Amino acid sequence: MSASTQVADAALAAKIERLNALIDTIATRHQKVKLASSLAAEDMLLTHAILSRGARIGIFSLNTGRLHAETVGMIDRVRERYGYEIEQFHPQPEAVQAYVTEHGLNAFYESVELRKRCCEIRKVEPLNRALADVEAWVTGQRREQSVTRAELHEQEQDTARNIGKYNPLADWSEADVWAYLKMYDVPVNPLHARGYPSIGCEPCTRAIRPGEDSRAGRWWWESRDSKECGLHIAPIQIRPGAAKATV
């Protein structure tokens, strides 16, 4: 084993140790906390870390009604591997129908406003219901994923919902994530092997090209600085040692 490989292995081991410690801290700090899982690589990593430790952190997913079959299939794979049933939250049928009637099924291609309205109906409103009874939530976001996440912090305050928010993988690289998944033989979405590092709704996600950032395939018809759906908004950093009354 080369010296560089040993250094890399040691660095990953340190990140895993920190991740496990943070998960334990989150689970004991809050009465009720949930992981919002997209069923993609980062969230499968966190799913494994949570369930393998028996941490008291719930896991849910937003079933928008327009996900790839491969993504929905990950619900079964988690059940088979861990014996855990991921809770699913769906959009309100009336809101979906009203949008489709007024604008059309695929109106999100027409403008950023219509795309964000679709995301609000299919993702943000269900997320708000999912988080209505928690003190904090956990995400698989990483700084490396896109320019919109470059300032991501490991611990934040979700000011929109007045709850704590944790991004345990904030400083993890893509290589770190895949090394972990391989190490623990974690089930992964088969779309990753087809060039989809970031996976959302089927009509809004494409495989990326060489050299593109990992979220380039999301809403590819829009400019890079608008590529968020509204799930992750207005956070403020909580620094270690700061008051934790609302976290």
Side-chain angles (χ1 to χ4, degrees):
M1 181 183 297
S2 67
S4 59
T5 300
Q6 289 178 327
V7 170
D9 289 347
L12 178 61
K15 286 186 175 181
I16 293 173
E17 183 178 0
R18 177 173 174 76
L19 170 65
N20 290 337
L22 181 56
I23 285 174
D24 290 343
T25 297
I26 294 168
T28 56
R29 180 179 292 171
H30 303 286
Q31 280 293 110
K32 192 166 186 180
V33 57
K34 295 178 181 177
L35 164 67
S37 173
S38 67
L39 303 167
E42 288 82 1
D43 294 321
M44 290 306 300
L45 186 164
L46 291 173
T47 293
H48 176 86
I50 289 168
L51 297 181
S52 64
R53 298 182 70 73
R56 193 170 48 82
I57 297 175
I59 305 172
F60 71 90
S61 185
L62 304 178
N63 190 331
T64 66
R66 303 208 68 178
L67 299 178
H68 298 79
E70 293 88 343
T71 299
V72 178
M74 293 302 297
I75 298 285
D76 293 333
R77 296 186 68 185
V78 169
R79 184 191 306 114
E80 293 163 3
R81 170 69 181 274
Y82 303 100
Y84 183 89
E85 190 71 38
I86 291 180
E87 187 176 12
Q88 297 185 68
F89 285 83
H90 301 262
Q92 301 285 5
E94 311 82 31
V96 172
Q97 186 57 54
Y99 178 92
V100 172
T101 299
E102 182 176 358
H103 304 293
L105 180 63
N106 296 326
F108 41 79
Y109 291 129
E110 298 175 14
S111 69
V112 173
E113 291 70 28
L114 284 174
R115 194 272 293 167
K116 289 186 175 181
R117 177 56 182 155
C118 185
C119 288
E120 182 180 338
I121 292 169
R122 293 184 182 272
K123 299 175 75 174
V124 178
E125 190 279 332
L127 177 71
N128 289 339
R129 277 188 277 121
L131 299 179
D133 61 345
V134 304
E135 296 178 4
W137 62 305
V138 181
T139 88
Q141 294 185 104
R142 296 185 295 107
R143 296 185 194 117
E144 188 185 79
Q145 288 172 325
S146 71
V147 293
T148 59
R149 297 180 178 179
E151 301 300 319
L152 188 70
H153 300 289
E154 190 175 78
Q155 183 179 348
E156 300 173 331
Q157 178 72 7
D158 182 339
T159 56
R161 301 176 182 89
N162 195 32
I163 58 177
K165 183 177 181 181
Y166 296 89
N167 310 299
L169 304 180
D171 67 343
W172 283 52
S173 68
E174 183 177 359
D176 292 333
V177 170
W178 284 97
Y180 181 105
L181 295 172
K182 181 178 180 181
M183 180 185 301
Y184 294 104
D185 192 27
V186 179
V188 295
N189 193 319
L191 290 172
H192 290 306
R194 302 177 203 163
Y196 290 76
S198 180
I199 304 170
C201 290
E202 184 171 15
C204 298
T205 311
R206 65 161 173 80
I208 65 170
R209 294 182 286 266
E212 289 185 315
D213 73 54
S214 64
R215 285 177 64 81
R218 304 291 296 278
W219 311 296
W220 68 90
W221 62 93
E222 296 181 7
S223 63
R224 293 180 70 197
D225 58 0
S226 65
K227 292 189 175 186
E228 292 290 351
C229 59
L231 299 184
H232 306 290
I233 53 176
I236 58 173
Q237 179 185 11
I238 303 296
R239 292 179 174 81
K244 298 171 182 174
T246 58
V247 177

